[in-house]
Amino acid sequence: INKLNQLMENYTKLENKYKTLLKALGNMTIELKVAVPYKIEGNKTYFKYTTIDVQIPRWKYLAYYACLYYNISISDFNLDPDRDEVLYEIVNKVRNWLINNNLYDEERFANALVSIAQLIPYNESGGGYPVLTLVEGGMCGHKADLAVALLRIAGYDAVEVDIDMYYKGKKLSHAIIGVHLPEPPKYYMRELVKQPCYIVWHGKRYYVAESVILWTIGTLTSHYESVFAENVTVYGEPPEEVHFEG
């Protein structure tokens, strides 16, 4: 028992030294694109754009990477991927930009946060935890996870919605975002759909948004020669109602 305790003590010392070395690596700065709908003329939705700079500690990026690819427990680094300080910084910067430019309302704020995920690069070999996705880009599921995390930090009730779709005759899974808004969205894209698209899950209406294309909340239609299939789930459960294609 004494030998085991000594081994554990030595391991803890090495682990602490490793973490200290990681934290000495400094920060990386990434530039994120943000878009918000600001007016509708006829059937066209117009956006305003900005960029925000975000500091990500290199040790944190490497820690997430190690946990994802080398089966290390995220608890070893005392990290919460969906409530990371980096995500809080993004939410605060987006909120302040909207307020300072007289653009803030609940729907625009949600759209601006979703746009961050939509506008980062699509990357089939990157992404995972939200911070990794911010740095590397990711696929639809990674982008949806990032958007949902940002929305929840900002106080929205948001979920990931999984749908089956056919692309050039091949069945594929696709992840999008659902966000509950107290009123139907005003800024859905009338050039693409006739009315806001949504699902009803657990008795609550969630307006859906794409994860890979800059479309506003409430806008969902077939694209890139794709056709939606019938199967729609929210964390493995079918919603009570599905209203797609506007």
Side-chain angles (χ1 to χ4, degrees):
I1 293 176
N2 289 336
K3 187 173 182 180
L4 178 61
N5 288 337
Q6 184 64 47
L7 286 171
M8 291 300 296
E9 183 179 345
N10 291 339
Y11 172 79
T12 301
K13 288 179 181 178
L14 286 171
E15 184 183 36
N16 289 336
K17 286 182 180 179
Y18 173 67
K19 290 179 180 177
T20 300
L21 286 171
L22 279 177
K23 292 182 180 182
L25 293 174
N27 297 328
M28 63 175 77
T29 301
I30 61 170
E31 184 181 81
L32 298 174
K33 298 175 182 176
V34 185
V36 64
Y38 76 100
K39 70 175 180 179
I40 297 171
E41 289 186 354
N43 285 331
K44 186 167 178 60
T45 303
Y46 291 87
F47 291 86
K48 284 188 182 294
Y49 296 85
T50 192
T51 57
I52 57 173
D53 290 335
V54 179
Q55 298 285 319
I56 298 179
R58 284 190 173 86
W59 76 265
K60 187 171 285 189
Y61 167 76
L62 292 171
Y64 280 124
Y65 189 93
C67 292
L68 184 64
Y69 292 106
Y70 295 100
N71 201 30
I72 298 173
S73 173
I74 202 77
S75 62
D76 289 346
F77 294 95
N78 195 29
L79 293 171
D80 185 347
D82 293 328
R83 301 190 67 81
D84 195 285
E85 292 175 357
V86 171
L87 305 181
Y88 278 87
E89 179 187 354
I90 292 169
V91 169
N92 289 332
K93 285 190 172 184
V94 171
R95 181 190 289 112
N96 291 337
W97 174 68
L98 293 171
I99 291 172
N100 292 337
N101 288 274
N102 296 316
L103 291 169
Y104 183 88
D105 65 36
E106 193 168 7
E107 182 185 345
R108 282 174 171 160
F109 188 24
N111 270 302
L113 294 175
V114 170
S115 78
I116 291 171
Q118 293 170 331
L119 292 170
I120 59 176
Y122 188 90
N123 183 359
E124 293 184 355
S125 60
Y129 295 116
V131 168
L132 289 180
T133 304
L134 287 169
V135 176
E136 301 175 350
M139 296 188 292
C140 58
H142 305 137
K143 288 166 162 273
D145 287 344
L146 170 61
V148 168
L150 292 171
L151 287 164
R152 288 179 175 175
I153 287 172
Y156 295 91
D157 182 354
V159 296
E160 181 179 326
V161 182
D162 294 308
I163 61 177
D164 287 340
M165 60 192 296
Y166 287 94
Y167 176 68
K168 295 183 177 180
K170 183 178 180 181
K171 187 176 181 180
L172 303 171
S173 295
H174 185 47
I176 59 175
I177 303 122
V179 56
H180 174 69
L181 296 173
E183 297 179 359
K186 302 186 297 288
Y187 296 102
Y188 71 93
M189 299 175 73
R190 291 155 176 82
E191 60 266 47
L192 295 174
V193 293
K194 295 178 181 178
Q195 58 189 7
C197 304
Y198 65 92
I199 62 169
V200 176
W201 185 64
H202 289 191
K204 187 178 288 187
R205 184 176 293 195
Y206 292 85
Y207 294 96
V208 293
E210 253 295 352
S211 57
V212 298
I213 303 173
L214 183 60
W215 289 350
T216 54
I217 294 168
T219 307
L220 188 70
T221 186
S222 299
H223 54 87
Y224 297 150
E225 301 178 34
S226 63
V227 178
F228 291 134
E230 294 295 326
N231 191 37
V232 179
T233 57
V234 182
Y235 304 121
E237 297 181 13
E240 295 95 270
E241 300 177 31
V242 176
H243 299 269
F244 289 173
E245 300 285 355

